[in-house]
Amino acid sequence: RDSNCMAEALSDSGSANAPTIESVRESLIRQEDTIVFGLIERARFPINSPTYSASYAKIPGFTGSLAQFVAHETEALQAKAGRFTSPEENPFFPKDLPASLVPSQNHTGVLHPSAASININKSIWDFYFDKLLALFAVPGDDGNYAATAASDLVCLQALSRRIHYGKFVAEVKFKESPKEYEPAIRAKNRDALMKLLTVESVEEAVKKRVAKKAMVFGQEVTLNSTDGSNGKYKVDPSVLSRLYAEWVMPLTKLVQVEYLLRRLD
Ligand SMILES: O=C(O)C(=O)C[C@]1(C(=O)O)C=C[C@@H](O)C=C1
């Protein structure tokens, strides 16, 4: 089985394919590629602020910005196609999502059932638009608002999938050493859980690797240059390490704590 394909590995039945710390970390590493490419695509456009303005959009029957409208309507379509029946996917607009219209997939229970109640997409939406966007999109307005909103949603969904993957990371960690986690879970001790699940050396490696991916994936590729990209990248590599250090890893850890707190329910 292709170990890169965690979605398939996770939906397999039988403990032979139960996730391990190696397999979940492999998935997190692969998801970095999606996130870096997503930001590179979004960086093709300037900020395009009308995309985020409710007063600009004035969409009949919808209150909100074009970014909200595109996310809401795209999720509705994806819900009908079965996207959110996967335990790896969490919607930004969970209210009134249409039901899946496709035959149900056999997602076997890797996670504790209470995992479904954890959704921190509001925090992801807020840091993305309020903090991150201005760090990698240049100021300006080129009128491509619909394409901008679509590429924001690609980034948001990739970040959401990565951050909520903390549920799987936490499950694996709990299964590997339940005796270490149980007392802190029973005591509802968030700080102790946070300490138990944190591995500084892994976090350092993640920050370095995502910056390196921004250099490799975001360089200008030409046929006859001697000197690659002259230090110019489509997304500043330091933005990637900052994104992971300030938001992605802290929120993944928050998801892990939330999951562990419910693990013995
Ligand atoms: O790899 C792990 O053990 C994780 O829990 C994932 C992760 C991350 O978000 O990348 C989070 C916490 C750890 O401190 C290290 C890395």
Side-chain angles (χ1 to χ4, degrees), residues 21-35:
I21 190 67
E22 288 76 27
S23 69
V24 293
R25 283 193 179 136
E26 213 171 274
S27 173
L28 293 179
I29 291 171
R30 205 213 46 76
Q31 292 181 57
E32 292 165 4
D33 299 7
T34 313
I35 291 169

Side-chain angles (χ1 to χ4, degrees), residues 6-263:
M6 202 58 202
E8 283 182 35
L10 286 170
S11 54
D12 250 337
S13 50
S15 57
N17 289 294
T20 61
I21 190 67
E22 288 76 27
S23 69
V24 293
R25 283 193 179 136
E26 213 171 274
S27 173
L28 293 179
I29 291 171
R30 205 213 46 76
Q31 292 181 57
E32 292 165 4
D33 299 7
T34 313
I35 291 169
V36 175
F37 281 122
L39 297 198
I40 289 173
E41 282 298 288
R42 175 59 184 84
R44 293 193 295 137
F45 306 109
I47 296 220
N48 283 339
S49 56
T51 313
Y52 315 112
S53 150
S55 57
Y56 165 80
K58 292 205 200 68
I59 296 159
F62 186 85
T63 312
S65 66
L66 188 60
Q68 288 169 319
F69 179 69
V70 167
H72 186 270
E73 299 296 301
T74 304
E75 282 193 341
L77 168 64
Q78 292 175 336
K80 290 194 243 177
R83 181 178 184 124
F84 301 107
T85 61
S86 162
E88 292 183 35
E89 300 287 350
N90 295 270
F92 284 86
F93 294 91
K95 262 202 260 148
D96 330 309
L97 261 194
S100 169
L101 302 178
V102 301
S104 63
Q105 293 280 316
N106 195 12
H107 295 293
T108 54
V110 169
L111 299 180
H112 187 277
S114 65
S117 69
I118 302 168
N119 181 333
I120 61 162
N121 276 338
K122 170 85 175 75
S123 309
I124 297 172
W125 183 280
D126 289 347
F127 88 70
Y128 179 85
F129 288 114
D130 298 345
K131 311 263 173 61
L132 181 65
L133 192 54
L135 299 179
F136 75 99
V138 297
D141 185 334
D142 68 2
N144 285 310
Y145 309 140
T148 296
S151 87
D152 283 324
L153 182 59
V154 169
C155 293
L156 285 165
Q157 289 186 323
L159 289 165
S160 174
R161 199 179 313 115
R162 195 287 179 195
I163 288 166
H164 289 98
Y165 211 78
K167 297 175 189 179
F168 293 95
V169 182
E171 174 61 24
V172 162
K173 288 184 177 176
F174 176 83
K175 274 269 174 56
E176 284 185 357
S177 33
K179 292 284 157 287
E180 275 185 56
Y181 283 96
E182 275 169 19
I185 295 171
R186 293 219 158 80
K188 299 191 180 12
N189 188 337
R190 294 172 161 270
D191 293 343
L193 290 171
M194 195 59 100
K195 258 214 189 88
L196 280 170
L197 63 84
T198 295
V199 191
E200 298 282 359
S201 60
V202 172
E203 295 192 21
E204 286 311 308
V206 169
K207 283 185 265 178
K208 287 196 188 131
R209 190 176 48 246
V210 292
K212 186 167 180 184
K213 285 183 177 179
M215 291 184 197
V216 174
F217 302 161
Q219 60 190 302
E220 209 53 66
V221 176
T222 58
L223 288 180
N224 52 8
S225 87
T226 45
D227 161 44
S229 60
N230 305 316
K232 258 195 88 245
Y233 305 105
K234 292 170 184 170
V235 170
D236 181 351
S238 72
V239 170
L240 260 298
S241 3
R242 190 166 161 202
L243 162 63
Y244 270 73
E246 285 186 29
W247 298 296
V248 174
M249 292 195 291
L251 290 175
T252 305
K253 295 204 281 186
L254 174 66
V255 168
Q256 293 189 57
V257 169
E258 293 299 331
Y259 180 83
L260 289 165
L261 286 172
R262 294 163 171 80
R263 183 58 180 73

